[in-house]
Amino acid sequence: MREIAVFAGSAHPELAAEMCAQLGVPLQPVRMTRFANDCLEVQLQANCRERDVFLVQPLVTPVQENLVELLLMIDAARGASAARITVVMPHYAYARSDKKDAPRISIGGRLIADLMVAAGASRVLAMTLHSPQVHGFFSVPVDHLHALRELADHFRALDLSRTTVVSPDLGNAKEAAAFARRLGVPVAAGAKQRYADDRVSISAIIGDVADRDVIVLDDEIAKGSTVLELIDRLRDAGARTIRVACTHGLFTAGALERIGAQSDVVEIVCTNTVPVPAGASEKLTVLSVAPALAQAVQRIHDGESVSALFDTAA
């Protein structure tokens, strides 16, 4: 059987190292060089010939820099005669650009997918894409994982007798409902309208949250404007306590501090698909998805079913 070779870009080497520890394989070295004209050069410093190559690189800030690194890594692996190149992309930032909702704009999620395939990617391993249609932007196989299992295992340690899972909007309601089924609790959702990237309005909560312990579930939290607006509405509706959970904890522009400063927010939970921001709140709990990603990598390498491992059943 072909050997596994795992390489990581600059975006999140800690996650790649944890995955390799789970797999029992070394994290292979990568040399990144910047020329005087600001161009990047990437060298994979281990043999790739006829190997099953996995490139670990979430698209996080600086997104464009990390994207170019990833494209160059893919091209380097292809040029080194890798048998197969799998992009392990725990966070796909451009997945939010998934529709043409204004004139003369690019659907970036599709464009970047095409760039990865053109560079030589054979398949993609992603986690919690922003919307289901993004899966279809890729012309190569995509294994799409979620972190509901890790999040549910964490919250099962609590008394859930008066708990309700709340989705910030109807678009995320399906995932929130699946999460609520795992916990055996009811689900509710916010009626949200977005006016700008950082300006939203939630007019109502659909479902009963009065005197309930609420778990707000979202796929990612960036500036936190939606979550903060939802917290206000939950407070108005009489929620007893609030916990905030997401897969991708980007927490830009001081979002973590603002959410943590809310007196009725008792915990903020995210996974390590992206690096944890400096100065993390004492309310923050970070769960590792490295074991899940490593299991998926091993199953891809062995030609086994990934969906069987990461099904949606509780």
Side-chain angles (χ1 to χ4, degrees):
M1 182 178 289
R2 298 169 303 199
E3 296 180 27
I4 291 178
V6 181
F7 300 88
S10 304
H12 201 352
E14 298 83 5
L15 176 61
E18 192 177 343
M19 287 173 56
C20 286
Q22 293 281 332
L23 288 165
V25 301
L27 177 59
Q28 304 293 352
V30 179
R31 182 179 64 84
M32 303 283 183
T33 304
R34 187 180 297 275
F35 294 111
N37 65 355
D38 203 37
C39 290
L40 293 173
E41 181 183 69
V42 171
Q43 182 186 34
L44 306 179
Q45 295 189 299
N47 182 26
C48 297
R49 186 174 295 275
E50 295 306 316
R51 291 191 172 189
D52 205 357
V53 172
F54 293 85
L55 306 175
V56 184
Q57 182 85 323
L59 294 188
V60 295
T61 303
V63 174
Q64 281 57 245
E65 189 94 354
N66 288 324
L67 171 60
V68 173
E69 271 191 18
L70 175 58
L71 295 174
L72 292 173
M73 289 168 66
I74 297 169
D75 185 62
R78 179 173 63 175
S81 301
R84 181 172 60 182
I85 303 166
T86 301
V87 173
V88 181
M89 190 170 50
H91 177 58
Y92 184 28
Y94 274 98
R96 295 189 66 160
S97 178
D98 60 356
K99 56 188 174 296
K100 190 167 183 176
D101 52 4
R104 298 172 298 281
I105 62 171
S106 168
I107 303 176
R110 173 61 189 268
L111 172 63
I112 303 306
D114 286 345
L115 286 174
M116 283 187 264
V117 175
S122 308
R123 65 186 307 124
V124 173
L125 174 60
M127 178 164 278
T128 313
L129 294 170
H130 183 64
S131 55
Q133 64 263 32
V134 175
H135 190 141
F137 288 174
F138 291 87
S139 57
V140 295
V142 177
D143 291 299
H144 184 198
L145 314 184
H146 58 71
L148 297 185
R149 181 179 64 175
E150 287 74 15
L151 292 168
D153 287 347
H154 172 78
F155 287 111
R156 283 193 187 103
L158 304 175
D159 177 6
L160 300 176
S161 59
R162 296 190 60 81
T163 297
T164 298
V165 171
V166 177
S167 170
D169 53 45
L170 297 177
N172 196 56
K174 185 175 181 179
E175 184 175 12
F179 183 61
R181 286 195 299 271
R182 284 175 175 266
L183 296 178
V185 302
V187 65
K192 184 180 82 170
Q193 184 172 1
R194 181 175 291 278
Y195 300 100
D197 183 50
D198 59 351
R199 191 164 65 89
V200 300
S201 173
I202 297 178
S203 57
I205 304 294
I206 304 168
D208 182 21
V209 296
D211 199 31
R212 305 283 293 180
D213 298 314
V214 167
I215 301 174
V216 174
L217 179 73
D218 208 351
D219 61 327
E220 73 174 61
I221 298 175
K223 289 184 176 180
S225 53
T226 296
V227 170
L228 289 167
E229 174 78 4
L230 180 60
I231 289 170
D232 286 343
R233 299 290 78 74
L234 290 170
R235 190 179 292 130
D236 295 342
R240 189 165 68 171
T241 64
I242 302 171
R243 285 177 164 84
V244 177
C246 67
T247 301
H248 310 300
L250 302 174
F251 300 125
T252 62
L256 184 59
E257 291 76 11
R258 291 198 302 276
I259 296 170
Q262 307 299 308
S263 59
D264 36 10
V265 172
V266 297
E267 187 180 26
I268 305 166
V269 182
C270 69
T271 75
N272 63 342
T273 55
V274 301
V276 179
S281 168
E282 62 181 13
K283 295 182 179 180
L284 179 66
T285 300
V286 181
L287 309 176
S288 179
V289 293
L293 290 169
Q295 286 177 300
V297 165
Q298 189 65 60
R299 284 179 170 257
I300 290 169
H301 177 66
D302 294 340
E304 298 177 354
S305 171
V306 174
S307 61
L309 182 61
F310 299 100
D311 60 25
T312 56

PDB file of all heavy atoms in Angstrom, residues 208-226:
ATOM      1  N   ASP A 208     -39.716  27.926  22.043  1.00  0.00           N
ATOM      2  CA  ASP A 208     -39.818  28.307  23.449  1.00  0.00           C
ATOM      3  C   ASP A 208     -38.441  28.312  24.105  1.00  0.00           C
ATOM      4  O   ASP A 208     -37.770  27.280  24.159  1.00  0.00           O
ATOM      5  CB  ASP A 208     -40.741  27.323  24.181  1.00  0.00           C
ATOM      6  CG  ASP A 208     -40.920  27.689  25.653  1.00  0.00           C
ATOM      7  OD1 ASP A 208     -40.689  28.870  25.993  1.00  0.00           O
ATOM      8  OD2 ASP A 208     -41.279  26.798  26.441  1.00  0.00           O
ATOM      9  N   VAL A 209     -38.032  29.480  24.605  1.00  0.00           N
ATOM     10  CA  VAL A 209     -36.750  29.587  25.324  1.00  0.00           C
ATOM     11  C   VAL A 209     -36.923  30.196  26.712  1.00  0.00           C
ATOM     12  O   VAL A 209     -35.940  30.356  27.439  1.00  0.00           O
ATOM     13  CB  VAL A 209     -35.733  30.419  24.515  1.00  0.00           C
ATOM     14  CG1 VAL A 209     -35.388  29.731  23.202  1.00  0.00           C
ATOM     15  CG2 VAL A 209     -36.245  31.835  24.270  1.00  0.00           C
ATOM     16  N   ALA A 210     -38.142  30.546  27.086  1.00  0.00           N
ATOM     17  CA  ALA A 210     -38.382  31.167  28.384  1.00  0.00           C
ATOM     18  C   ALA A 210     -37.987  30.225  29.514  1.00  0.00           C
ATOM     19  O   ALA A 210     -38.404  29.058  29.540  1.00  0.00           O
ATOM     20  CB  ALA A 210     -39.851  31.563  28.512  1.00  0.00           C
ATOM     21  N   ASP A 211     -37.153  30.712  30.432  1.00  0.00           N
ATOM     22  CA  ASP A 211     -36.680  29.950  31.589  1.00  0.00           C
ATOM     23  C   ASP A 211     -35.973  28.656  31.163  1.00  0.00           C
ATOM     24  O   ASP A 211     -36.048  27.650  31.862  1.00  0.00           O
ATOM     25  CB  ASP A 211     -37.836  29.637  32.546  1.00  0.00           C
ATOM     26  CG  ASP A 211     -37.339  29.275  33.952  1.00  0.00           C
ATOM     27  OD1 ASP A 211     -36.288  29.805  34.358  1.00  0.00           O
ATOM     28  OD2 ASP A 211     -37.995  28.450  34.614  1.00  0.00           O
ATOM     29  N   ARG A 212     -35.299  28.711  30.012  1.00  0.00           N
ATOM     30  CA  ARG A 212     -34.575  27.553  29.496  1.00  0.00           C
ATOM     31  C   ARG A 212     -33.073  27.836  29.486  1.00  0.00           C
ATOM     32  O   ARG A 212     -32.634  28.984  29.413  1.00  0.00           O
ATOM     33  CB  ARG A 212     -35.027  27.210  28.068  1.00  0.00           C
ATOM     34  CG  ARG A 212     -36.506  26.980  27.880  1.00  0.00           C
ATOM     35  CD  ARG A 212     -36.931  25.627  28.369  1.00  0.00           C
ATOM     36  NE  ARG A 212     -36.379  24.538  27.572  1.00  0.00           N
ATOM     37  CZ  ARG A 212     -36.617  23.247  27.825  1.00  0.00           C
ATOM     38  NH1 ARG A 212     -37.378  22.897  28.847  1.00  0.00           N
ATOM     39  NH2 ARG A 212     -36.102  22.310  27.050  1.00  0.00           N
ATOM     40  N   ASP A 213     -32.283  26.764  29.567  1.00  0.00           N
ATOM     41  CA  ASP A 213     -30.835  26.855  29.380  1.00  0.00           C
ATOM     42  C   ASP A 213     -30.572  26.681  27.886  1.00  0.00           C
ATOM     43  O   ASP A 213     -30.837  25.620  27.325  1.00  0.00           O
ATOM     44  CB  ASP A 213     -30.114  25.769  30.180  1.00  0.00           C
ATOM     45  CG  ASP A 213     -30.341  25.908  31.673  1.00  0.00           C
ATOM     46  OD1 ASP A 213     -30.229  27.047  32.171  1.00  0.00           O
ATOM     47  OD2 ASP A 213     -30.635  24.897  32.332  1.00  0.00           O
ATOM     48  N   VAL A 214     -30.048  27.711  27.267  1.00  0.00           N
ATOM     49  CA  VAL A 214     -29.940  27.755  25.813  1.00  0.00           C
ATOM     50  C   VAL A 214     -28.513  27.440  25.370  1.00  0.00           C
ATOM     51  O   VAL A 214     -27.539  27.922  25.951  1.00  0.00           O
ATOM     52  CB  VAL A 214     -30.363  29.142  25.286  1.00  0.00           C
ATOM     53  CG1 VAL A 214     -29.973  29.332  23.831  1.00  0.00           C
ATOM     54  CG2 VAL A 214     -31.863  29.330  25.460  1.00  0.00           C
ATOM     55  N   ILE A 215     -28.413  26.618  24.316  1.00  0.00           N
ATOM     56  CA  ILE A 215     -27.141  26.417  23.615  1.00  0.00           C
ATOM     57  C   ILE A 215     -27.308  26.993  22.219  1.00  0.00           C
ATOM     58  O   ILE A 215     -28.081  26.479  21.414  1.00  0.00           O
ATOM     59  CB  ILE A 215     -26.751  24.932  23.524  1.00  0.00           C
ATOM     60  CG1 ILE A 215     -26.616  24.313  24.908  1.00  0.00           C
ATOM     61  CG2 ILE A 215     -25.439  24.786  22.753  1.00  0.00           C
ATOM     62  CD1 ILE A 215     -26.374  22.803  24.882  1.00  0.00           C
ATOM     63  N   VAL A 216     -26.638  28.098  21.940  1.00  0.00           N
ATOM     64  CA  VAL A 216     -26.655  28.702  20.607  1.00  0.00           C
ATOM     65  C   VAL A 216     -25.637  27.968  19.755  1.00  0.00           C
ATOM     66  O   VAL A 216     -24.461  27.883  20.100  1.00  0.00           O
ATOM     67  CB  VAL A 216     -26.302  30.202  20.681  1.00  0.00           C
ATOM     68  CG1 VAL A 216     -26.186  30.788  19.274  1.00  0.00           C
ATOM     69  CG2 VAL A 216     -27.332  30.958  21.500  1.00  0.00           C
ATOM     70  N   LEU A 217     -26.075  27.434  18.621  1.00  0.00           N
ATOM     71  CA  LEU A 217     -25.182  26.684  17.729  1.00  0.00           C
ATOM     72  C   LEU A 217     -25.079  27.386  16.381  1.00  0.00           C
ATOM     73  O   LEU A 217     -26.083  27.639  15.726  1.00  0.00           O
ATOM     74  CB  LEU A 217     -25.696  25.258  17.516  1.00  0.00           C
ATOM     75  CG  LEU A 217     -24.830  24.404  16.586  1.00  0.00           C
ATOM     76  CD1 LEU A 217     -23.530  24.000  17.281  1.00  0.00           C
ATOM     77  CD2 LEU A 217     -25.585  23.165  16.113  1.00  0.00           C
ATOM     78  N   ASP A 218     -23.834  27.701  15.975  1.00  0.00           N
ATOM     79  CA  ASP A 218     -23.589  28.287  14.666  1.00  0.00           C
ATOM     80  C   ASP A 218     -22.413  27.565  14.025  1.00  0.00           C
ATOM     81  O   ASP A 218     -21.654  26.870  14.705  1.00  0.00           O
ATOM     82  CB  ASP A 218     -23.291  29.784  14.796  1.00  0.00           C
ATOM     83  CG  ASP A 218     -23.689  30.567  13.559  1.00  0.00           C
ATOM     84  OD1 ASP A 218     -24.028  29.942  12.540  1.00  0.00           O
ATOM     85  OD2 ASP A 218     -23.660  31.809  13.616  1.00  0.00           O
ATOM     86  N   ASP A 219     -22.260  27.715  12.698  1.00  0.00           N
ATOM     87  CA  ASP A 219     -21.134  27.047  12.043  1.00  0.00           C
ATOM     88  C   ASP A 219     -19.837  27.802  12.293  1.00  0.00           C
ATOM     89  O   ASP A 219     -18.788  27.195  12.518  1.00  0.00           O
ATOM     90  CB  ASP A 219     -21.395  26.883  10.534  1.00  0.00           C
ATOM     91  CG  ASP A 219     -21.571  28.213   9.817  1.00  0.00           C
ATOM     92  OD1 ASP A 219     -22.092  29.149  10.436  1.00  0.00           O
ATOM     93  OD2 ASP A 219     -21.192  28.314   8.636  1.00  0.00           O
ATOM     94  N   GLU A 220     -19.878  29.133  12.251  1.00  0.00           N
ATOM     95  CA  GLU A 220     -18.688  29.924  12.548  1.00  0.00           C
ATOM     96  C   GLU A 220     -19.095  31.234  13.197  1.00  0.00           C
ATOM     97  O   GLU A 220     -20.200  31.732  12.998  1.00  0.00           O
ATOM     98  CB  GLU A 220     -17.854  30.195  11.294  1.00  0.00           C
ATOM     99  CG  GLU A 220     -18.447  31.208  10.340  1.00  0.00           C
ATOM    100  CD  GLU A 220     -17.509  31.549   9.188  1.00  0.00           C
ATOM    101  OE1 GLU A 220     -17.159  30.637   8.402  1.00  0.00           O
ATOM    102  OE2 GLU A 220     -17.115  32.725   9.074  1.00  0.00           O
ATOM    103  N   ILE A 221     -18.176  31.779  13.979  1.00  0.00           N
ATOM    104  CA  ILE A 221     -18.378  33.095  14.578  1.00  0.00           C
ATOM    105  C   ILE A 221     -17.177  33.948  14.197  1.00  0.00           C
ATOM    106  O   ILE A 221     -16.039  33.604  14.526  1.00  0.00           O
ATOM    107  CB  ILE A 221     -18.511  33.024  16.108  1.00  0.00           C
ATOM    108  CG1 ILE A 221     -19.734  32.195  16.499  1.00  0.00           C
ATOM    109  CG2 ILE A 221     -18.624  34.436  16.699  1.00  0.00           C
ATOM    110  CD1 ILE A 221     -19.877  31.980  18.005  1.00  0.00           C
ATOM    111  N   ALA A 222     -17.438  35.039  13.473  1.00  0.00           N
ATOM    112  CA  ALA A 222     -16.380  35.953  13.069  1.00  0.00           C
ATOM    113  C   ALA A 222     -16.468  37.212  13.940  1.00  0.00           C
ATOM    114  O   ALA A 222     -15.959  37.244  15.052  1.00  0.00           O
ATOM    115  CB  ALA A 222     -16.473  36.266  11.588  1.00  0.00           C
ATOM    116  N   LYS A 223     -17.165  38.231  13.462  1.00  0.00           N
ATOM    117  CA  LYS A 223     -17.305  39.449  14.260  1.00  0.00           C
ATOM    118  C   LYS A 223     -18.271  39.276  15.431  1.00  0.00           C
ATOM    119  O   LYS A 223     -18.264  40.064  16.372  1.00  0.00           O
ATOM    120  CB  LYS A 223     -17.765  40.604  13.381  1.00  0.00           C
ATOM    121  CG  LYS A 223     -16.699  41.105  12.419  1.00  0.00           C
ATOM    122  CD  LYS A 223     -17.192  42.320  11.660  1.00  0.00           C
ATOM    123  CE  LYS A 223     -16.100  42.875  10.761  1.00  0.00           C
ATOM    124  NZ  LYS A 223     -16.552  44.072  10.009  1.00  0.00           N
ATOM    125  N   GLY A 224     -19.135  38.264  15.359  1.00  0.00           N
ATOM    126  CA  GLY A 224     -20.043  37.984  16.468  1.00  0.00           C
ATOM    127  C   GLY A 224     -21.299  38.824  16.484  1.00  0.00           C
ATOM    128  O   GLY A 224     -22.067  38.758  17.453  1.00  0.00           O
ATOM    129  N   SER A 225     -21.564  39.588  15.416  1.00  0.00           N
ATOM    130  CA  SER A 225     -22.735  40.472  15.422  1.00  0.00           C
ATOM    131  C   SER A 225     -24.037  39.688  15.505  1.00  0.00           C
ATOM    132  O   SER A 225     -24.965  40.090  16.225  1.00  0.00           O
ATOM    133  CB  SER A 225     -22.723  41.361  14.169  1.00  0.00           C
ATOM    134  OG  SER A 225     -22.593  40.572  12.998  1.00  0.00           O
ATOM    135  N   THR A 226     -24.103  38.562  14.810  1.00  0.00           N
ATOM    136  CA  THR A 226     -25.328  37.748  14.857  1.00  0.00           C
ATOM    137  C   THR A 226     -25.545  37.173  16.244  1.00  0.00           C
ATOM    138  O   THR A 226     -26.659  37.213  16.785  1.00  0.00           O
ATOM    139  CB  THR A 226     -25.243  36.609  13.828  1.00  0.00           C
ATOM    140  OG1 THR A 226     -25.193  37.163  12.512  1.00  0.00           O
ATOM    141  CG2 THR A 226     -26.452  35.682  13.937  1.00  0.00           C
TER     142      THR A 226
END
